[in-house]
């Protein structure tokens, strides 16, 4: 909504004088004056018959501006509430997705893991960030994953995607044949990795 303006030269002069008085007041500090000082200036203007009408016009504009600010604050609060709800919903969907979702850096170090991904690796979710995904890959798996990320790098920015089969080795020795799908992290410098697994493709190693 456009801010209301004082069109007449006289009203503009009154505004300039009022701002000058407010900023020159000894009590307030900085560029903003106190509300009591502003009311004092308006009271002085309203006390004179020559400036009373202009003072009322200025007061009306200030009141309208105050309402605008309150409406903007309400809109910001409403938008923040909606964004927080959307974030919570997306976080829950991410955590409970039927595929393992990982965020890894170029060195295959785990940055973020959802609940399904933690179950695939057989490790508590909170303990995984900072550890290398390479430790949970079968032999040659790291090379396969790096080649997959290289395909993403060779693609077209954040829209680039690549897929490849991998074999995971969980902490308890359980093996999972998974389909790995990778994409560039929009935040930059990292990758989003999705690992989809089937129970029929899970193998148990022999002690």
């Amino acid at each position: 909504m456009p801010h209301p303006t004082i069109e007449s030269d006289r009203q503009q002069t009154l505004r300039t004088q009022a701002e000058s008085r407010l900023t020159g007041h000894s009590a307030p500090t900085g560029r903003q004056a106190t509300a009591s000082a502003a009311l004092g200036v308006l009271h002085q203007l309203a006390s004179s018959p020559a400036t009373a009408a202009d003072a009322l016009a200025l007061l009306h504009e200030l009141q309208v501006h105050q309402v605008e600010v309150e409406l903007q604050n309400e809109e910001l609060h409403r938008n923040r509430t909606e964004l927080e709800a959307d974030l919570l919903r997306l976080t829950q969907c991410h955590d409970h997705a039927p595929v393992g979702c990982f965020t890894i850096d170029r060195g295959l170090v785990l940055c973020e893991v959802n609940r399904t991904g933690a179950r695939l690796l057989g490790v508590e979710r909170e303990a995984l960030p900072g550890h290398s995904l390479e430790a949970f890959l079968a032999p040659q798996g790291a090379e396969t994953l790096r080649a997959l990320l290289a395909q993403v790098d060779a693609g077209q920015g954040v829209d680039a995607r690549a897929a490849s089969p991998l074999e995971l080795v969980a902490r308890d020795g359980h093996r999972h044949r998974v389909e790995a799908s990778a994409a560039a992290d929009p935040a930059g410098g990292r990758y989003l990795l999705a690992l989809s697994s089937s129970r029929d493709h899970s193998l148990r190693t022999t002690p």
Side-chain angles (χ1 to χ4, degrees):
M1 179 184 299
H3 188 283
T5 58
I6 302 179
E7 298 180 355
S8 71
D9 292 339
R10 183 175 181 80
Q11 288 175 327
Q12 185 61 48
T13 300
L14 287 173
R15 164 172 285 191
T16 302
Q17 292 174 348
E19 291 176 347
S20 177
R21 292 187 188 183
L22 290 176
T23 56
H25 199 274
S26 58
T29 58
R31 298 184 61 183
Q32 293 185 343
T34 62
S36 59
L39 290 175
V41 171
L42 287 173
H43 177 72
Q44 292 177 16
L45 295 174
S47 299
S48 172
T51 58
D54 294 319
L56 290 175
L58 180 58
L59 176 60
H60 173 71
E61 182 186 351
L62 292 174
Q63 290 173 330
V64 171
H65 178 63
Q66 180 181 3
V67 173
E68 286 181 340
V69 172
E70 291 173 353
L71 291 174
Q72 290 173 354
N73 286 337
E74 290 175 3
E75 183 177 2
L76 288 173
H77 177 73
R78 186 164 55 249
N79 290 341
R80 178 177 178 177
T81 300
E82 292 174 356
L83 287 174
E84 289 176 346
D86 289 342
L87 178 61
L88 178 60
R89 182 165 55 252
L90 289 174
T91 300
Q92 291 178 340
C93 289
H94 175 268
D95 282 346
H96 298 284
V99 299
C101 298
F102 305 81
T103 302
I104 59 176
D105 65 14
R106 298 181 186 277
L108 308 187
V109 174
L110 293 165
C111 304
E112 298 174 352
V113 185
N114 72 343
R115 297 180 187 277
T116 303
R119 286 197 296 269
L120 283 174
L121 302 183
V123 180
E124 290 294 328
R125 178 185 182 185
E126 293 74 14
L128 285 170
H131 289 75
S132 175
L133 184 58
E134 185 173 0
F136 300 93
L137 296 174
Q140 308 302 317
E143 289 77 3
T144 300
L145 183 54
R146 289 192 177 93
L148 183 66
L149 300 183
Q151 294 180 44
V152 174
D153 290 337
Q156 301 298 321
V158 296
D159 293 328
R161 285 174 171 76
S164 178
L166 280 177
E167 187 175 9
L168 289 178
V169 182
R171 178 64 59 85
D172 63 357
H174 214 91
R175 291 178 176 263
H176 305 274
R177 292 174 182 168
V178 297
E179 184 72 13
S181 177
D185 187 344
R190 301 191 298 186
Y191 303 89
L192 305 179
L193 182 67
L195 302 181
S196 56
S197 177
S198 170
R199 291 181 180 274
D200 295 336
H201 291 163
S202 295
L203 301 174
R204 183 74 179 184
T205 57
T206 302

mmCIF file of all heavy atoms in Angstrom, residues 107-110 131-143 145-146 169:
data_model
loop_
_atom_site.group_PDB
_atom_site.id
_atom_site.type_symbol
_atom_site.label_atom_id
_atom_site.label_comp_id
_atom_site.label_asym_id
_atom_site.label_seq_id
_atom_site.Cartn_x
_atom_site.Cartn_y
_atom_site.Cartn_z
ATOM 1 N N GLY A 107 33.463 -34.882 -0.242
ATOM 2 C CA GLY A 107 34.288 -35.946 0.310
ATOM 3 C C GLY A 107 33.474 -37.127 0.814
ATOM 4 O O GLY A 107 34.010 -37.986 1.528
ATOM 5 N N LEU A 108 32.176 -37.159 0.492
ATOM 6 C CA LEU A 108 31.237 -38.217 0.912
ATOM 7 C C LEU A 108 30.953 -38.187 2.404
ATOM 8 O O LEU A 108 30.457 -39.164 2.972
ATOM 9 C CB LEU A 108 31.747 -39.613 0.509
ATOM 10 C CG LEU A 108 32.146 -39.809 -0.952
ATOM 11 C CD1 LEU A 108 32.462 -41.290 -1.213
ATOM 12 C CD2 LEU A 108 31.072 -39.327 -1.905
ATOM 13 N N VAL A 109 31.251 -37.063 3.050
ATOM 14 C CA VAL A 109 30.958 -36.936 4.477
ATOM 15 C C VAL A 109 29.478 -36.616 4.656
ATOM 16 O O VAL A 109 28.928 -35.756 3.958
ATOM 17 C CB VAL A 109 31.825 -35.830 5.115
ATOM 18 C CG1 VAL A 109 31.422 -35.600 6.576
ATOM 19 C CG2 VAL A 109 33.297 -36.189 5.015
ATOM 20 N N LEU A 110 28.848 -37.301 5.586
ATOM 21 C CA LEU A 110 27.425 -37.115 5.847
ATOM 22 C C LEU A 110 27.182 -35.801 6.586
ATOM 23 O O LEU A 110 27.819 -35.525 7.598
ATOM 24 C CB LEU A 110 26.884 -38.277 6.681
ATOM 25 C CG LEU A 110 26.871 -39.648 5.983
ATOM 26 C CD1 LEU A 110 26.683 -40.757 6.998
ATOM 27 C CD2 LEU A 110 25.746 -39.696 4.946
ATOM 28 N N HIS A 131 30.464 -38.316 9.771
ATOM 29 C CA HIS A 131 31.072 -39.584 9.376
ATOM 30 C C HIS A 131 31.001 -39.743 7.860
ATOM 31 O O HIS A 131 30.130 -39.188 7.193
ATOM 32 C CB HIS A 131 30.374 -40.762 10.058
ATOM 33 C CG HIS A 131 30.649 -40.848 11.529
ATOM 34 N ND1 HIS A 131 30.074 -39.999 12.444
ATOM 35 C CD2 HIS A 131 31.457 -41.683 12.238
ATOM 36 C CE1 HIS A 131 30.495 -40.303 13.662
ATOM 37 N NE2 HIS A 131 31.340 -41.316 13.567
ATOM 38 N N SER A 132 31.909 -40.535 7.320
ATOM 39 C CA SER A 132 31.956 -40.746 5.877
ATOM 40 C C SER A 132 30.995 -41.854 5.476
ATOM 41 O O SER A 132 30.938 -42.918 6.107
ATOM 42 C CB SER A 132 33.371 -41.114 5.441
ATOM 43 O OG SER A 132 33.386 -41.423 4.055
ATOM 44 N N LEU A 133 30.244 -41.606 4.397
ATOM 45 C CA LEU A 133 29.350 -42.631 3.867
ATOM 46 C C LEU A 133 30.145 -43.791 3.285
ATOM 47 O O LEU A 133 29.629 -44.910 3.178
ATOM 48 C CB LEU A 133 28.443 -42.013 2.807
ATOM 49 C CG LEU A 133 27.368 -42.917 2.191
ATOM 50 C CD1 LEU A 133 26.441 -43.474 3.259
ATOM 51 C CD2 LEU A 133 26.573 -42.158 1.132
ATOM 52 N N GLU A 134 31.405 -43.538 2.941
ATOM 53 C CA GLU A 134 32.253 -44.587 2.362
ATOM 54 C C GLU A 134 32.376 -45.780 3.291
ATOM 55 O O GLU A 134 32.519 -46.926 2.844
ATOM 56 C CB GLU A 134 33.628 -44.016 2.042
ATOM 57 C CG GLU A 134 34.549 -44.992 1.326
ATOM 58 C CD GLU A 134 35.845 -44.348 0.881
ATOM 59 O OE1 GLU A 134 36.034 -43.135 1.139
ATOM 60 O OE2 GLU A 134 36.674 -45.051 0.273
ATOM 61 N N ALA A 135 32.306 -45.544 4.612
ATOM 62 C CA ALA A 135 32.432 -46.627 5.574
ATOM 63 C C ALA A 135 31.250 -47.594 5.509
ATOM 64 O O ALA A 135 31.336 -48.702 6.045
ATOM 65 C CB ALA A 135 32.559 -46.058 6.987
ATOM 66 N N PHE A 136 30.171 -47.195 4.854
ATOM 67 C CA PHE A 136 28.979 -48.038 4.770
ATOM 68 C C PHE A 136 28.752 -48.561 3.345
ATOM 69 O O PHE A 136 27.670 -49.065 3.042
ATOM 70 C CB PHE A 136 27.745 -47.249 5.214
ATOM 71 C CG PHE A 136 27.827 -46.746 6.625
ATOM 72 C CD1 PHE A 136 28.314 -45.484 6.900
ATOM 73 C CD2 PHE A 136 27.434 -47.552 7.686
ATOM 74 C CE1 PHE A 136 28.396 -45.010 8.206
ATOM 75 C CE2 PHE A 136 27.509 -47.098 8.995
ATOM 76 C CZ PHE A 136 28.003 -45.816 9.248
ATOM 77 N N LEU A 137 29.759 -48.471 2.503
ATOM 78 C CA LEU A 137 29.635 -48.936 1.127
ATOM 79 C C LEU A 137 30.468 -50.193 0.916
ATOM 80 O O LEU A 137 31.554 -50.354 1.480
ATOM 81 C CB LEU A 137 30.100 -47.852 0.156
ATOM 82 C CG LEU A 137 29.280 -46.566 0.148
ATOM 83 C CD1 LEU A 137 29.937 -45.530 -0.762
ATOM 84 C CD2 LEU A 137 27.850 -46.835 -0.308
ATOM 85 N N ALA A 138 29.943 -51.084 0.091
ATOM 86 C CA ALA A 138 30.686 -52.280 -0.281
ATOM 87 C C ALA A 138 31.906 -51.867 -1.109
ATOM 88 O O ALA A 138 31.987 -50.739 -1.584
ATOM 89 C CB ALA A 138 29.781 -53.215 -1.081
ATOM 90 N N PRO A 139 32.890 -52.793 -1.268
ATOM 91 C CA PRO A 139 34.076 -52.463 -2.077
ATOM 92 C C PRO A 139 33.684 -51.903 -3.443
ATOM 93 O O PRO A 139 32.724 -52.369 -4.068
ATOM 94 C CB PRO A 139 34.795 -53.817 -2.204
ATOM 95 C CG PRO A 139 34.410 -54.547 -0.953
ATOM 96 C CD PRO A 139 32.996 -54.142 -0.671
ATOM 97 N N GLN A 140 34.415 -50.920 -3.874
ATOM 98 C CA GLN A 140 34.178 -50.198 -5.125
ATOM 99 C C GLN A 140 32.962 -49.273 -5.051
ATOM 100 O O GLN A 140 32.679 -48.546 -6.002
ATOM 101 C CB GLN A 140 34.000 -51.168 -6.312
ATOM 102 C CG GLN A 140 35.122 -52.191 -6.459
ATOM 103 C CD GLN A 140 36.483 -51.522 -6.613
ATOM 104 O OE1 GLN A 140 36.620 -50.548 -7.342
ATOM 105 N NE2 GLN A 140 37.480 -52.059 -5.913
ATOM 106 N N GLY A 141 32.263 -49.299 -3.933
ATOM 107 C CA GLY A 141 31.073 -48.456 -3.816
ATOM 108 C C GLY A 141 31.408 -46.978 -3.813
ATOM 109 O O GLY A 141 30.687 -46.161 -4.379
ATOM 110 N N ALA A 142 32.513 -46.614 -3.156
ATOM 111 C CA ALA A 142 32.896 -45.208 -3.097
ATOM 112 C C ALA A 142 33.211 -44.670 -4.488
ATOM 113 O O ALA A 142 32.830 -43.546 -4.837
ATOM 114 C CB ALA A 142 34.102 -45.028 -2.180
ATOM 115 N N GLU A 143 33.913 -45.494 -5.300
ATOM 116 C CA GLU A 143 34.220 -45.066 -6.659
ATOM 117 C C GLU A 143 32.946 -44.878 -7.473
ATOM 118 O O GLU A 143 32.820 -43.924 -8.260
ATOM 119 C CB GLU A 143 35.133 -46.084 -7.337
ATOM 120 C CG GLU A 143 36.559 -46.106 -6.814
ATOM 121 C CD GLU A 143 36.701 -46.820 -5.478
ATOM 122 O OE1 GLU A 143 35.694 -47.359 -4.976
ATOM 123 O OE2 GLU A 143 37.823 -46.825 -4.931
ATOM 124 N N LEU A 145 29.996 -44.114 -6.290
ATOM 125 C CA LEU A 145 29.295 -42.924 -5.813
ATOM 126 C C LEU A 145 29.989 -41.657 -6.302
ATOM 127 O O LEU A 145 29.319 -40.685 -6.703
ATOM 128 C CB LEU A 145 29.220 -42.939 -4.288
ATOM 129 C CG LEU A 145 28.458 -41.784 -3.639
ATOM 130 C CD1 LEU A 145 27.052 -41.662 -4.214
ATOM 131 C CD2 LEU A 145 28.392 -41.968 -2.130
ATOM 132 N N ARG A 146 31.309 -41.640 -6.290
ATOM 133 C CA ARG A 146 32.019 -40.458 -6.782
ATOM 134 C C ARG A 146 31.764 -40.243 -8.275
ATOM 135 O O ARG A 146 31.647 -39.105 -8.732
ATOM 136 C CB ARG A 146 33.523 -40.594 -6.508
ATOM 137 C CG ARG A 146 33.892 -40.471 -5.027
ATOM 138 C CD ARG A 146 35.388 -40.315 -4.845
ATOM 139 N NE ARG A 146 35.712 -40.133 -3.428
ATOM 140 C CZ ARG A 146 36.042 -41.119 -2.594
ATOM 141 N NH1 ARG A 146 36.091 -42.370 -3.049
ATOM 142 N NH2 ARG A 146 36.319 -40.861 -1.325
ATOM 143 N N VAL A 169 26.471 -51.492 3.309
ATOM 144 C CA VAL A 169 26.785 -52.448 4.367
ATOM 145 C C VAL A 169 26.485 -51.755 5.691
ATOM 146 O O VAL A 169 27.200 -50.846 6.109
ATOM 147 C CB VAL A 169 28.253 -52.892 4.320
ATOM 148 C CG1 VAL A 169 28.514 -53.922 5.422
ATOM 149 C CG2 VAL A 169 28.608 -53.461 2.963
#
